[in-house]
Amino acid sequence: MPFQSAKTSIIAALLQYDRLSRLELSELTGVSPAGITEVTQKLLQQELLAETPSIDPPGRGKRRGRPPVQLSLQPGHSCFAGINIGEGEMVLAITDLKGEVLEQRHVPAVDSLAEIPDAVRAAFLAALHHASIPRTRVRGAGIAVSGIVDAEQGICRYSAALDWRDVPIARMIGEALELQAWADNDANAIAIGEHIFGNAREYDHFSSIVLGRTIGSAHYMHGILYRGHDGSAGEIGHISVDPHGILCRCGRNGCLDTIAGGSALRQAAHEKGLGIETMRDLEDLAMHGDRDAVQLLRCAGKALGSAIASLVHINNPQAVLFTDLEGFENGVFRTAIRQGIENSILPRYLGSTEILFTTADPVSLPRSAASIAAFNYLMSL
């Protein structure tokens, strides 16, 4: 196996399993023991890896001979900046090599696209100063954008939320921070973060669904993010679920976003006279028996669950991971999603597809954005 391919395989394995011996690395990656030694020696010289003796589990007694040495990535070797850009507040985070957030900063609201780079730069420098992080340790920046992104070029091709077309956002932010920068769709960013740092490290086939102001999705197949032929795969929010429904901002009627997205649910709740600010407020009303709240959440969850069932039929993932950015938590909406999936899915998939929900924290998106930079940096070594 060529050196570069072997190195990529070894780094990917260590991201997934944290600590591995050289023998385990060889078995997992298919790289020969000699190749493992060659690659890991260079990574140890770069101080990207650390060696630690294996510890025997309690009750097993001491093993004979020298204990096998385990290898792990050094979290402090590199840092990465991550920025989310969408309809809500922009947040910048700085993470270590394993996705631990070292510092975060809110980026002040701006009036135009041209002002974003300077605002991000100010937040970046303040974060470095406050956390005493040497600028030289920051290896790159990742940008998560609400919209269709050409990740290879770092260009946001279209964002209805931001009213952007063909914006070279990676170049703009990279020049402002004087770093190499990568951009991707926010749903892709979350999937990348889950795969290398989070709940999907053990899966080669999974779908990531983002419950936010709109509904986003991304899909991993054979351990690789599936982008489609021009990078715009995953626009589940614009599946038409009701041809006679509400006009979506994409110009078509009855998209999933208009029924199950957080913005649509807030708007529908206000039209029914429900004084809510958050999805948790709507869930609380439903829990206390408000019929309108229950109906809105059940309808939204059923529509989303039906769409996810179709996705499972097409992609056959090991798991579907929901990331809740809106704060629904474990209430009527999640229950309705599960019921919608179970009622629409073939029985053979019920036992083989895990359905997992996680509630995001305010730094989830910028952490995911930083994972874009971490992944690209590691794969380029």
Side-chain angles (χ1 to χ4, degrees):
M1 181 182 290
F3 182 85
Q4 189 64 32
S5 299
K7 183 163 59 174
T8 299
S9 298
I10 289 166
I11 290 173
L14 289 169
L15 281 170
Q16 182 173 1
Y17 293 101
D18 281 336
R19 295 176 182 272
L20 292 168
S21 68
R22 287 174 173 81
L23 177 60
E24 290 169 330
L25 276 171
S26 181
E27 292 172 346
L28 282 167
T29 64
V31 178
S32 69
I36 293 290
T37 298
E38 180 186 5
V39 172
T40 56
Q41 192 60 36
K42 288 186 180 295
L43 295 178
L44 284 164
Q45 290 170 359
Q46 295 172 352
E47 298 183 343
L48 182 65
L49 295 187
E51 291 182 317
T52 54
S54 178
I55 300 173
D56 289 314
R60 186 174 287 186
K62 275 194 168 184
R63 65 178 92 203
R64 294 180 180 178
R66 294 176 60 188
V69 172
Q70 292 190 311
L71 297 163
S72 61
L73 292 169
Q74 284 280 67
H77 177 274
S78 305
C79 296
F80 303 92
I83 309 101
N84 68 289
I85 304 177
E87 291 179 276
E89 187 176 35
M90 288 190 293
V91 179
L92 177 141
I94 298 178
T95 74
D96 67 14
L97 190 57
K98 290 195 173 181
E100 185 72 25
V101 175
L102 307 177
E103 184 65 17
Q104 66 184 79
R105 276 286 185 278
H106 293 284
V107 180
V110 296
D111 296 324
S112 68
L113 168 62
E115 296 176 271
I116 289 178
D118 285 343
V120 170
R121 175 181 171 81
F124 174 66
L125 294 176
L128 290 180
H129 177 74
H130 187 264
S132 299
I133 298 170
R135 190 187 180 98
T136 53
R137 277 179 56 202
V138 184
R139 314 291 183 175
I143 305 112
V145 181
S146 177
I148 295 173
V149 178
D150 180 340
E152 187 173 335
Q153 300 295 323
I155 296 172
C156 178
R157 295 299 182 189
Y158 173 68
S159 173
L162 299 166
D163 194 24
W164 286 3
R165 290 185 184 275
D166 296 325
V167 174
I169 191 63
R171 177 180 60 77
M172 294 169 66
I173 298 296
E175 289 177 354
L177 302 186
E178 300 178 33
L179 292 170
Q180 185 166 5
W182 297 269
D184 213 330
N185 166 269
D186 50 5
N188 285 348
I190 286 175
I192 292 168
E194 291 284 14
H195 190 55
I196 66 174
F197 295 139
N199 296 303
R201 289 192 295 176
E202 63 187 272
Y203 302 121
D204 285 331
H205 305 265
F206 73 93
S207 292
S208 172
I209 309 298
V210 181
L211 307 178
R213 286 177 168 81
T214 57
I215 305 297
S217 72
H219 315 286
Y220 264 81
M221 300 178 182
H222 302 287
I224 298 171
L225 179 66
Y226 178 72
R227 296 184 178 278
H229 84 277
D230 68 356
S232 55
E235 289 295 318
I236 191 174
H238 294 290
I239 292 175
S240 180
V241 293
D242 181 4
H244 305 292
I246 298 169
L247 181 68
C248 179
R249 59 187 175 185
C250 76
R252 300 185 308 130
N253 292 89
C255 290
L256 183 62
D257 278 350
T258 67
I259 297 174
S263 292
L265 279 168
R266 264 186 292 273
Q267 178 64 29
H270 291 158
E271 289 174 358
K272 291 183 176 293
L274 303 178
I276 67 158
E277 293 184 6
T278 68
M279 290 302 103
R280 188 65 258 164
D281 295 338
L282 189 60
E283 286 282 4
D284 286 342
L285 287 175
M287 184 177 66
H288 287 92
D290 187 287
R291 292 184 179 181
D292 288 332
V294 171
Q295 182 183 23
L296 285 173
L297 291 166
R298 281 183 177 169
C299 180
K302 179 181 177 181
L304 180 54
S306 179
I308 299 304
S310 297
L311 182 154
V312 170
H313 289 157
I314 294 168
N315 289 342
N316 186 27
Q318 295 165 277
V320 180
L321 279 65
F322 290 86
T323 300
D324 181 2
L325 299 177
E326 286 284 324
F328 291 97
E329 299 181 10
N330 193 20
V332 175
F333 187 54
R334 288 190 188 182
T335 300
I337 292 171
R338 286 187 180 276
Q339 291 174 343
I341 294 171
E342 291 170 2
N343 292 338
S344 304
I345 203 171
L346 286 173
R348 69 178 299 269
Y349 292 111
L350 281 175
S352 63
T353 309
E354 289 191 68
I355 306 297
L356 305 171
F357 287 88
T358 61
T359 299
D361 56 47
V363 81
S364 291
L365 270 175
R367 183 199 296 120
S368 297
S371 74
I372 301 170
F375 176 80
N376 281 284
Y377 170 75
L378 289 170
M379 294 301 105
S380 71
L381 289 174

XYZ file of all heavy atoms in Angstrom, residues 111-181:
528
model
N -24.162 43.584 9.243
C -25.217 44.002 8.317
C -25.011 43.491 6.904
O -25.931 43.547 6.084
C -25.305 45.535 8.277
C -25.730 46.122 9.621
O -26.565 45.484 10.291
O -25.212 47.185 9.992
N -23.816 43.001 6.596
C -23.564 42.578 5.223
C -22.524 41.463 5.199
O -21.757 41.269 6.149
C -23.064 43.758 4.381
O -21.766 44.163 4.811
N -22.490 40.762 4.081
C -21.521 39.698 3.865
C -20.097 40.228 3.991
O -19.221 39.563 4.568
C -21.744 39.084 2.477
C -20.656 38.149 1.937
C -20.500 36.926 2.828
C -20.989 37.725 0.503
N -19.840 41.394 3.469
C -18.483 41.956 3.463
C -17.923 42.163 4.868
O -16.703 42.195 5.055
C -18.467 43.278 2.697
N -18.813 42.285 5.867
C -18.360 42.535 7.239
C -18.060 41.255 8.011
O -17.468 41.303 9.095
C -19.425 43.331 7.993
C -19.688 44.727 7.438
C -20.819 45.405 8.176
O -21.986 45.228 7.766
O -20.527 46.092 9.170
N -18.464 40.106 7.476
C -18.296 38.846 8.205
C -16.827 38.520 8.484
O -16.472 38.181 9.622
C -18.998 37.685 7.463
C -20.521 37.848 7.574
C -18.569 36.328 8.025
C -21.317 36.777 6.834
N -15.920 38.595 7.500
C -14.521 38.211 7.787
C -13.895 38.989 8.935
O -13.230 38.391 9.807
C -13.810 38.485 6.457
C -14.880 38.335 5.423
C -16.109 38.897 6.066
N -14.083 40.309 8.994
C -13.490 41.098 10.077
C -14.102 40.737 11.427
O -13.402 40.700 12.448
C -13.671 42.597 9.799
C -12.722 43.103 8.717
O -11.735 42.408 8.424
O -12.984 44.186 8.158
N -15.416 40.475 11.436
C -16.083 40.100 12.693
C -15.563 38.751 13.195
O -15.322 38.565 14.393
C -17.593 40.047 12.490
N -15.368 37.803 12.277
C -14.837 36.493 12.643
C -13.393 36.622 13.123
O -12.989 35.995 14.111
C -14.939 35.517 11.447
C -14.175 34.224 11.743
C -16.399 35.202 11.136
N -12.604 37.459 12.449
C -11.204 37.649 12.843
C -11.109 38.206 14.271
O -10.301 37.746 15.080
C -10.509 38.592 11.864
C -9.076 38.948 12.248
C -8.452 39.913 11.226
N -7.183 40.418 11.705
C -6.030 39.757 11.630
N -5.993 38.560 11.081
N -4.917 40.297 12.085
N -11.957 39.175 14.588
C -11.938 39.768 15.932
C -12.269 38.726 16.992
O -11.625 38.660 18.055
C -12.908 40.944 16.001
N -13.272 37.885 16.715
C -13.649 36.838 17.669
C -12.538 35.802 17.800
O -12.253 35.308 18.901
C -14.947 36.166 17.211
N -11.893 35.467 16.704
C -10.793 34.495 16.694
C -9.619 34.982 17.545
O -9.112 34.247 18.402
C -10.358 34.262 15.249
C -9.141 33.403 15.082
C -9.158 32.061 15.437
C -7.972 33.924 14.539
C -8.034 31.254 15.269
C -6.849 33.134 14.364
C -6.880 31.796 14.733
N -9.215 36.215 17.351
C -8.081 36.751 18.106
C -8.412 36.863 19.590
O -7.561 36.592 20.451
C -7.680 38.120 17.541
C -7.112 38.104 16.115
C -6.837 39.527 15.630
C -5.854 37.247 16.035
N -9.656 37.232 19.905
C -10.064 37.311 21.310
C -10.059 35.936 21.963
O -9.651 35.776 23.127
C -11.454 37.936 21.406
N -10.486 34.913 21.209
C -10.502 33.547 21.743
C -9.085 33.050 22.001
O -8.806 32.444 23.049
C -11.226 32.620 20.762
N -8.176 33.288 21.058
C -6.782 32.880 21.246
C -6.180 33.535 22.481
O -5.512 32.879 23.287
C -5.949 33.261 20.017
C -6.188 32.504 18.714
C -5.259 33.043 17.628
C -5.974 31.007 18.885
N -6.433 34.832 22.629
C -5.858 35.577 23.751
C -6.401 35.073 25.084
O -5.642 34.832 26.029
C -6.154 37.067 23.583
C -5.669 37.904 24.732
N -4.334 38.195 24.937
C -6.350 38.499 25.762
C -4.209 38.930 26.024
N -5.409 39.132 26.542
N -7.717 34.901 25.162
C -8.340 34.521 26.429
C -7.918 33.126 26.861
O -7.731 32.854 28.057
C -9.859 34.586 26.311
C -10.570 34.374 27.610
N -11.059 33.146 27.980
C -10.853 35.231 28.632
C -11.632 33.252 29.172
N -11.528 34.501 29.591
N -7.749 32.210 25.896
C -7.399 30.825 26.230
C -5.900 30.575 26.191
O -5.461 29.446 26.435
C -8.108 29.871 25.268
N -5.123 31.616 25.896
C -3.657 31.496 25.802
C -3.239 30.381 24.846
O -2.371 29.555 25.151
C -3.048 31.246 27.193
O -3.329 32.317 28.066
N -3.881 30.354 23.675
C -3.565 29.366 22.649
C -2.607 29.996 21.647
O -2.935 31.017 21.038
C -4.843 28.886 21.923
C -5.792 28.213 22.910
C -4.495 27.942 20.776
C -7.164 27.924 22.327
N -1.419 29.440 21.459
C -0.500 29.991 20.462
C -1.101 29.908 19.062
O -1.642 28.863 18.675
C 0.745 29.101 20.575
C 0.626 28.425 21.902
C -0.841 28.282 22.161
N -1.003 30.994 18.343
C -1.565 31.021 16.989
C -0.949 29.930 16.109
O -1.605 29.379 15.225
C -1.328 32.399 16.378
C -2.060 32.631 15.069
C -1.638 33.947 14.438
N -2.352 34.155 13.191
C -3.432 34.900 13.066
N -3.916 35.531 14.112
N -4.035 35.042 11.901
N 0.314 29.595 16.359
C 1.003 28.609 15.534
C 0.430 27.204 15.688
O 0.677 26.337 14.848
C 2.502 28.568 15.893
O 2.646 28.372 17.311
C 3.184 29.864 15.480
N -0.325 26.961 16.764
C -0.929 25.637 16.959
C -2.218 25.467 16.167
O -2.737 24.357 16.029
C -1.221 25.396 18.440
C -0.007 24.911 19.225
C -0.355 24.725 20.683
N -1.485 23.820 20.869
C -2.258 23.816 21.965
N -2.031 24.672 22.948
N -3.237 22.954 22.086
N -2.780 26.564 15.666
C -4.043 26.487 14.922
C -3.717 26.144 13.474
O -3.056 26.910 12.772
C -4.826 27.810 15.003
C -6.176 27.651 14.301
C -5.026 28.217 16.461
N -4.180 24.984 13.018
C -3.784 24.459 11.709
C -4.775 24.761 10.594
O -4.503 24.498 9.432
C -3.621 22.939 11.790
C -2.830 22.447 12.985
C -1.375 22.812 12.916
N -0.645 22.255 14.058
C 0.665 22.332 14.222
N 1.398 22.951 13.314
N 1.237 21.820 15.292
N -5.945 25.283 10.956
C -6.917 25.566 9.906
C -8.254 25.968 10.489
O -8.462 25.913 11.702
N -9.153 26.386 9.613
C -10.491 26.818 10.026
C -11.543 26.110 9.189
O -11.354 25.885 7.991
C -10.633 28.329 9.864
N -12.628 25.738 9.841
C -13.756 25.134 9.152
C -14.972 26.027 9.264
O -15.188 26.672 10.295
N -15.747 26.097 8.198
C -16.937 26.948 8.179
C -18.140 26.089 7.820
O -18.147 25.412 6.786
C -16.804 28.094 7.148
C -15.533 28.920 7.408
C -18.019 28.990 7.185
C -14.490 28.777 6.340
N -19.146 26.086 8.683
C -20.392 25.375 8.418
C -21.429 26.391 7.968
O -21.712 27.354 8.685
C -20.874 24.650 9.672
N -21.979 26.197 6.779
C -22.885 27.172 6.172
C -24.244 26.537 5.933
O -24.334 25.386 5.483
C -22.318 27.692 4.835
C -23.251 28.730 4.222
C -20.935 28.297 5.036
N -25.276 27.287 6.223
C -26.634 26.847 5.908
C -26.890 27.092 4.426
O -27.156 28.213 4.004
C -27.649 27.622 6.759
O -28.966 27.264 6.411
N -26.744 26.047 3.623
C -26.935 26.201 2.179
C -26.223 25.103 1.423
O -25.651 24.178 2.009
N -26.241 25.193 0.111
C -25.560 24.230 -0.752
C -24.136 24.720 -0.967
O -23.912 25.843 -1.430
C -26.292 24.087 -2.098
C -27.688 23.483 -1.868
C -25.495 23.209 -3.059
C -28.562 23.448 -3.100
N -23.163 23.886 -0.593
C -21.762 24.301 -0.594
C -20.943 23.381 -1.500
O -21.059 22.155 -1.422
C -21.176 24.282 0.832
C -19.700 24.679 0.811
C -21.964 25.217 1.745
N -20.136 23.991 -2.342
C -19.124 23.268 -3.106
C -17.914 23.143 -2.187
O -17.108 24.070 -2.074
C -18.773 24.053 -4.373
C -17.719 23.368 -5.232
O -16.983 22.518 -4.708
O -17.613 23.710 -6.429
N -17.805 22.003 -1.501
C -16.759 21.840 -0.489
C -15.364 21.849 -1.100
O -14.414 22.324 -0.485
C -16.992 20.550 0.294
N -15.233 21.331 -2.309
C -13.922 21.285 -2.952
C -13.399 22.692 -3.231
O -12.209 22.976 -3.063
C -14.006 20.475 -4.252
C -12.663 20.235 -4.896
C -12.747 19.293 -6.078
O -13.688 18.466 -6.121
O -11.886 19.379 -6.967
N -14.284 23.588 -3.637
C -13.894 24.967 -3.947
C -14.082 25.916 -2.766
O -13.600 27.051 -2.797
C -14.716 25.482 -5.137
C -14.549 24.681 -6.411
C -13.142 24.768 -6.961
O -12.504 25.816 -6.894
N -12.645 23.661 -7.494
N -14.796 25.466 -1.735
C -15.062 26.337 -0.589
C -16.029 27.450 -0.901
O -15.955 28.536 -0.315
N -16.959 27.181 -1.812
C -17.895 28.208 -2.278
C -19.324 27.813 -1.898
O -19.750 26.678 -2.148
C -17.797 28.384 -3.807
C -16.408 28.905 -4.185
C -18.871 29.330 -4.317
C -16.158 28.930 -5.684
N -20.053 28.733 -1.287
C -21.483 28.518 -1.046
C -22.213 28.839 -2.343
O -22.282 29.999 -2.754
C -21.991 29.402 0.089
S -23.771 29.230 0.385
N -22.711 27.818 -2.998
C -23.374 28.015 -4.285
C -24.739 28.669 -4.126
O -25.144 29.480 -4.946
C -23.506 26.673 -5.011
C -22.179 26.043 -5.411
C -21.405 26.951 -6.360
N -20.138 26.349 -6.795
C -19.204 26.991 -7.471
N -19.383 28.273 -7.774
N -18.092 26.390 -7.816
N -25.448 28.264 -3.057
C -26.773 28.871 -2.843
C -27.191 28.685 -1.392
O -27.046 27.606 -0.824
C -27.826 28.223 -3.751
C -29.231 28.700 -3.455
C -29.626 30.013 -3.726
C -30.167 27.847 -2.866
C -30.901 30.451 -3.444
C -31.450 28.275 -2.590
C -31.808 29.584 -2.870
O -33.075 30.029 -2.577
N -27.684 29.762 -0.805
C -28.264 29.687 0.534
C -29.507 30.560 0.574
O -29.413 31.786 0.466
C -27.264 30.166 1.590
O -27.913 30.243 2.856
N -30.665 29.898 0.708
C -31.913 30.661 0.825
C -31.934 31.433 2.138
O -32.427 32.564 2.201
C -33.107 29.711 0.747
N -31.372 30.829 3.195
C -31.371 31.465 4.516
C -30.561 32.755 4.519
O -30.920 33.738 5.174
C -30.828 30.496 5.558
N -29.436 32.757 3.785
C -28.530 33.903 3.798
C -28.663 34.778 2.564
O -28.035 35.839 2.485
C -27.080 33.403 3.902
C -26.749 32.604 5.163
C -25.409 31.885 5.006
C -26.726 33.518 6.378
N -29.451 34.306 1.583
C -29.581 35.000 0.297
C -28.212 35.130 -0.378
O -27.832 36.198 -0.855
C -30.234 36.374 0.471
C -30.696 36.974 -0.865
O -30.926 36.195 -1.807
O -30.804 38.212 -0.967
N -27.476 34.029 -0.408
C -26.152 33.979 -1.031
C -26.203 33.164 -2.313
O -26.911 32.172 -2.417
C -25.143 33.297 -0.107
C -24.685 34.099 1.056
C -25.091 35.345 1.437
C -23.709 33.682 2.021
N -24.426 35.734 2.566
C -23.568 34.739 2.951
C -22.938 32.535 2.181
C -22.692 34.663 4.034
C -22.063 32.457 3.248
C -21.942 33.514 4.163
N -25.389 33.584 -3.264
C -25.129 32.797 -4.471
C -23.648 32.918 -4.811
O -23.128 34.021 -4.919
C -25.979 33.269 -5.658
C -27.464 32.967 -5.517
C -28.244 33.346 -6.772
N -29.670 33.133 -6.589
C -30.288 31.967 -6.775
N -29.581 30.905 -7.166
N -31.589 31.846 -6.593
N -23.004 31.781 -4.939
C -21.597 31.716 -5.358
C -20.693 32.609 -4.503
O -19.922 33.420 -5.014
C -21.457 32.078 -6.838
C -22.159 31.074 -7.740
O -22.159 29.872 -7.402
O -22.720 31.483 -8.769
N -20.778 32.428 -3.201
C -19.946 33.206 -2.262
C -18.710 32.375 -1.885
O -18.855 31.284 -1.327
C -20.741 33.565 -0.993
C -19.831 34.235 0.038
C -21.911 34.479 -1.348
N -17.497 32.869 -2.162
C -16.262 32.113 -1.831
C -15.909 32.246 -0.354
O -14.880 32.802 0.027
C -15.221 32.778 -2.733
C -15.689 34.191 -2.857
C -17.194 34.133 -2.852
N -16.748 31.703 0.483
C -16.652 31.956 1.915
C -15.381 31.385 2.526
O -14.808 31.981 3.450
C -17.918 31.425 2.640
C -17.968 31.909 4.083
C -18.005 29.901 2.541
C -18.070 33.415 4.226
N -14.886 30.245 2.038
C -13.649 29.684 2.599
C -12.469 30.618 2.339
O -11.638 30.850 3.231
C -13.377 28.299 2.013
N -12.376 31.157 1.145
C -11.282 32.077 0.839
C -11.397 33.339 1.681
O -10.393 33.833 2.228
C -11.288 32.437 -0.647
C -10.207 33.467 -1.024
C -10.225 33.799 -2.503
N -11.493 34.367 -2.933
C -11.864 35.638 -2.710
N -11.071 36.456 -2.022
N -13.015 36.079 -3.165
N -12.604 33.861 1.844
C -12.812 35.094 2.607
C -12.384 34.922 4.065
O -11.666 35.752 4.623
C -14.270 35.530 2.511
C -14.709 35.946 1.108
S -16.515 36.157 0.962
C -16.783 37.556 2.042
N -12.846 33.842 4.689
C -12.508 33.604 6.095
C -11.034 33.221 6.231
O -10.340 33.664 7.157
C -13.397 32.489 6.690
C -14.882 32.912 6.653
C -12.957 32.147 8.106
C -15.228 34.107 7.497
N -10.532 32.413 5.296
C -9.134 32.007 5.354
C -8.187 33.192 5.273
O -7.198 33.261 6.022
N -8.475 34.135 4.392
C -7.626 35.323 4.277
C -7.703 36.174 5.531
O -6.692 36.726 5.986
C -8.035 36.135 3.047
C -7.655 35.456 1.722
C -8.127 36.244 0.516
O -8.853 37.259 0.701
O -7.794 35.845 -0.618
N -8.890 36.281 6.114
C -9.047 37.092 7.327
C -8.281 36.499 8.504
O -7.701 37.230 9.310
C -10.525 37.235 7.672
N -8.272 35.171 8.610
C -7.612 34.504 9.736
C -6.177 34.111 9.418
O -5.457 33.636 10.304
C -8.401 33.252 10.150
C -9.861 33.441 10.551
C -10.437 32.133 11.072
C -10.026 34.543 11.567
N -5.794 34.264 8.158
C -4.464 33.846 7.705
C -4.245 32.360 7.968
O -3.204 31.918 8.473
C -3.369 34.689 8.369
C -3.486 36.175 8.061
C -2.423 37.002 8.764
O -1.308 36.497 8.951
O -2.725 38.158 9.122
N -5.272 31.582 7.622
C -5.245 30.128 7.797
C -5.825 29.467 6.561
O -6.621 30.078 5.833
C -6.098 29.712 9.002
C -5.634 30.091 10.395
C -6.752 29.802 11.401
C -4.365 29.323 10.777
N -5.453 28.208 6.352
C -6.176 27.449 5.349
C -7.583 27.200 5.895
O -7.761 26.879 7.074
C -5.491 26.125 5.053
C -6.156 25.360 3.916
C -5.307 24.227 3.393
O -4.245 23.931 3.930
N -5.765 23.572 2.327
N -8.574 27.359 5.034
C -9.961 27.219 5.489
C -10.736 26.314 4.540
O -10.477 26.277 3.333
C -10.630 28.587 5.576
